[in-house]
Amino acid sequence: MRQQTQIDLAQRVIDFIEQRGTELTDEVFLNPVDTYTSEEQLAREREVFFRQSPLLHCHSSQMPNPGDYVADELSGTPILVVRGQDGVARAMLNMCRHRGARLKDGTGHCERAITCPYHAWTYSFEGKLRMVTPSAGFPGISPDDRSLVMLPCVERHGFIWVLPQPGGQIDEDKLLGGMDDEIASYGFAGYKHHDTRRVTKAMNWKLVIDTFMETWHVGTLHRDTVAPIFQPAVNVFDAFGPNGRLIIPRRTIIELKSKPEAEWDFLPRTAVVYTALPNSLIVWQGDHLEIWRAFPGRHAGECIAEASLFIPRAPQNEREKRYWDKNMDLLLRTVEEEDFPVCEGIQQSCERGGQKHVTFGRNEPALIHFHQQIRLCLGLPAN
Ligand code: FES
Ligand SMILES: [Fe+2]
């Protein structure tokens, strides 16, 4: 992040702390509860967001070497990304061209080729079928006609994006829009994967994102976990097209006041939550990176949430490893034991139908922006 941006953001935060204020939108926003409960809306989201939009698939450090792969079908499309001998990450449908068996699960490494677990057809890391075997069984069928189906894939600043639809294109410059240079400046491409956890919850996928979109619940909901760390109730938010940047200041930020501006070290004193529409968060946590991804489950009231933690360098000893493990534990304890139970309660309230809208306050600008953009992309009325 540019030094001047850091100074400007720190000044905005300090001003709000001193004035006991926060950033306000012009109006409150009434968000229809249908957005969390409607199967019709979910069907549209699956098409617009989870088939036609590039999705953040993983971080480069989860598949650093030729033959490494990361597979999932959380979007509804079975996606396999493999790093080629040339170092390029390529995405393909995780579907054997013989009878459609899944080629790989989760993360791992292929030794020489991608081998189907069913009848051992083998494909190069670039998705080319090597041989149709047994040849007598498949007369007239050429390996060229049975290569894996490729998906558009882009690796940029350490993040690997995949469009779950064959034949489309990813516009690299649009992925992070106006946040691209800033995200590049952190040097996340050199970070290392530390841990990933995935959970299934009885709540709509957008509630995973919502929980990161304001800070004024920190003082109440998180009073025994992260409230001593973060400054509650101060939102500093900037929209970058459909995406956005929310500053979640640590309490230590106020110490900057006693230093000359030229010495302001802003980034260790804050979390920065970047939304990457539709379903991902790139979170700077003061000294490490988190990625959150949210996907719909089997119906509107179910989701799969995934949290991953990345660190500037691999732990050099047990003490460093324990430090990052503790970070992961605190993250999961806070979100899984505190945020998500509340979100599941919100889901139940919405499903019981007692009210048509939930109310987003003027002090929740990031939340309002996220839902306005969702509605815009889906062609829904503003609210
Ligand atoms: S399904 Fe893959 S080799 Fe038969
Ligand atoms: Fe929270």
Side-chain angles (χ1 to χ4, degrees), residues 211 217 221-222 339:
T211 196
H217 70 275
L221 186 62
H222 302 312
D339 290 295

Side-chain angles (χ1 to χ4, degrees), residues 9-35:
L9 289 169
Q11 194 59 62
R12 280 161 72 186
V13 170
I14 291 167
D15 288 349
F16 283 133
I17 294 173
E18 291 185 333
Q19 297 156 11
R20 296 181 181 278
T22 185
E23 220 143 65
L24 298 173
T25 57
D26 292 339
E27 292 176 349
V28 297
F29 181 80
L30 302 181
N31 199 33
V33 297
D34 287 1
T35 200

Side-chain angles (χ1 to χ4, degrees), residues 94-143:
N94 189 9
M95 205 178 271
C96 180
R97 297 301 308 278
H98 172 219
R99 279 168 51 198
R102 290 281 175 279
L103 295 162
K104 294 288 164 198
D105 282 324
T107 58
H109 176 75
C110 309
E111 270 314 325
R112 288 187 298 281
I114 307 166
T115 303
C116 178
Y118 204 2
H119 314 91
W121 275 20
T122 61
Y123 303 85
S124 71
F125 298 158
E126 291 74 37
K128 300 271 178 253
L129 180 61
R130 293 215 165 129
M131 253 193 298
V132 180
T133 52
S135 54
F138 301 90
I141 293 181
S142 147

Side-chain angles (χ1 to χ4, degrees), residues 12 19 31 37 44 120 123 132 146 151 187 202 254 258 261 276 279 317 355 372:
R12 280 161 72 186
Q19 297 156 11
N31 199 33
T37 60
R44 179 110 186 96
Y123 303 85
V132 180
R146 295 293 185 277
L151 299 170
I254 202 71
S258 55
E261 262 185 24
N279 69 328
N317 49 47
Q355 53 182 356
Q372 280 175 334

Side-chain angles (χ1 to χ4, degrees), residues 236-252:
V236 167
F237 174 71
D238 291 288
F240 292 87
N243 299 318
R245 175 186 62 207
L246 177 67
I247 301 299
I248 302 185
R250 290 171 172 250
R251 290 180 188 269
T252 54

Side-chain angles (χ1 to χ4, degrees), residues 243-290:
N243 299 318
R245 175 186 62 207
L246 177 67
I247 301 299
I248 302 185
R250 290 171 172 250
R251 290 180 188 269
T252 54
I253 203 158
I254 202 71
E255 294 163 11
L256 293 181
K257 259 196 74 180
S258 55
K259 297 182 175 196
E261 262 185 24
E263 291 173 24
W264 280 13
D265 51 341
F266 172 68
L267 286 177
R269 298 169 187 272
T270 188
V272 187
V273 180
Y274 296 95
T275 41
L277 224 65
N279 69 328
S280 299
L281 300 170
I282 295 170
V283 185
W284 166 250
Q285 276 288 14
D287 59 358
H288 64 278
L289 163 72
E290 274 164 34

